[in-house]
Amino acid sequence: MIAILLGVLAAMLGGAGILAKHEAKDRPLESFDIPTTMSVAAAGVQTVSMEPFSELKYKNIVHQAYDYSCGSAALVTILKYHLGIDVSEQQSMEGMMAFGEKDKIIERRGFSLLDMKRYLASINVQSAGFRAEIADLLTLDQPGIVPIDYAGFKHFVVLRGVRGGLVFLADPAMGNITFPVEEFATLWDRNTLFIAYPPKDRTPALKLALSDNELGVTDMDRVRDRGLLRPIDDQLRMERLLNGFGGVSIRKQ
């Protein structure tokens, strides 16, 4: 910051011509005039815009609304920020309840990749699931949804890409995070990969593509606190989620 200010000051003083030799004799060393009309841009200093870390953390990610809505949030992240289809998490949950395995959704208290596939078909988006290897992820040219098994429970995240030995994830719970490939391989559940393909008549948004800044620098921010990814505490939270779908109750009689 000091260097920048000195650079601005030097540009101002030099541009105004107030450091001419004949003026240096007439003025005390510590006194000089600074023109007030010269801007930083005019002085040749590049301006820099900054974003709060909290915004960068969840940039182009749908933050899950409920403990067990990581699947719907991951799916909507793909729809909005890769395929360019404006869908809310609530709409995706309603769609999966309508076209997915409703009884199993209630029983397992969460959505499956099959529920996602059926919902996507209802909005004319093709999708497919694969068994993949790390080598396959290295050549992947679009994001996909992968399940991870962390701290004893399942969690869906969006795989954005693998570069430089790091796996870049858009996590609906934790934001943009990275894992070393070796560590991700231990978390990846059954090597499952789910991809939604852009409709032929729509240009993808491609906002999940890795930027040059991400490829050059990473803070290695990873999931560390198991408490941040916790299983649902009680039935009431899931009932709250499902109450928006016709008042479905999961209480056992």
Side-chain angles (χ1 to χ4, degrees), residues 2-121:
I2 294 175
I4 293 175
L5 292 176
L6 290 176
V8 173
L9 183 58
M12 291 179 176
L13 295 178
I18 63 174
L19 291 184
K21 293 182 179 180
H22 66 278
E23 291 189 352
K25 299 177 182 179
D26 304 327
R27 300 190 179 196
L29 181 62
E30 66 275 7
S31 68
F32 48 80
D33 295 329
I34 299 179
T36 58
T37 57
M38 181 176 290
S39 66
V40 171
V45 178
Q46 184 179 1
T47 58
V48 179
S49 60
M50 302 180 66
E51 295 181 76
F53 177 74
S54 58
E55 293 183 11
L56 292 173
K57 187 69 173 174
Y58 288 97
K59 187 173 183 178
N60 298 333
I61 297 177
V62 175
H63 196 177
Q64 66 188 77
Y66 305 94
D67 285 351
Y68 264 60
S69 66
C70 59
S72 58
L75 181 61
V76 176
T77 295
I78 292 281
L79 288 173
K80 291 186 66 169
Y81 298 116
H82 178 60
L83 302 185
I85 301 175
D86 191 13
V87 176
S88 69
E89 186 181 5
Q90 182 72 19
Q91 288 173 321
S92 73
M93 288 191 291
E94 291 174 355
M96 285 189 281
M97 288 293 291
F99 296 97
E101 300 177 299
K102 185 173 181 179
D103 293 339
K104 291 185 178 181
I105 292 172
I106 295 172
E107 180 182 355
R108 76 171 79 93
R109 303 175 185 176
F111 302 104
S112 70
L113 294 176
L114 179 58
D115 299 323
M116 298 181 197
K117 182 179 178 66
R118 291 180 174 177
Y119 165 62
L120 290 176

Side-chain angles (χ1 to χ4, degrees), residues 113 128-138 140 144-149 154-157 159 167 181-195:
L113 294 176
F130 304 90
R131 290 277 185 244
E133 302 295 335
I134 293 293
D136 300 317
L137 303 185
L138 295 174
L140 196 64
I145 296 176
V146 293
I148 60 175
D149 192 338
K154 312 297 184 183
H155 183 58
F156 286 117
V157 296
L159 174 72
V167 178
V181 170
E182 297 78 9
E183 187 172 358
F184 172 79
T186 66
L187 303 176
W188 191 10
D189 186 19
R190 292 177 291 182
N191 288 50
T192 302
L193 173 66
F194 182 79
I195 295 178

